[in-house]
Amino acid sequence: MPSKEYFRNLAQMSRRVSRNMTDPAIAQRLLAIGEDFEQQAAAASDSDPSDDLAPPGVRNHGSHGRT
């Protein structure tokens, strides 16, 4: 699952694009999409999404052997 930061970035981008829209209906839809992303950010975990890709014996054990 994507991180909180990912969803917050999408929400911010949606709001920024909505400010540049000349069609109010599209601007409102983009604001609604931004709100949806904020709700997903609130529900997302703070864990590192790459933990899901690590083998079970390596998950959540500090360093993943990277230097």
Side-chain angles (χ1 to χ4, degrees), residues 33-66:
I33 290 169
E35 285 298 317
D36 289 344
F37 283 135
E38 282 293 340
Q39 291 174 3
Q40 289 180 28
S45 68
D46 284 326
S47 67
D48 183 0
S50 65
D51 282 345
D52 294 335
L53 302 175
V58 179
R59 290 182 190 158
N60 299 322
H61 293 266
S63 175
H64 292 286
R66 297 181 211 148

Side-chain angles (χ1 to χ4, degrees), residues 6-25:
Y6 174 78
F7 286 121
R8 286 198 176 113
N9 286 338
L10 289 174
Q12 182 181 30
M13 184 176 18
S14 295
R15 288 189 297 267
R16 191 174 347 148
V17 171
S18 75
R19 289 191 296 265
N20 295 323
M21 285 293 119
T22 56
D23 185 329

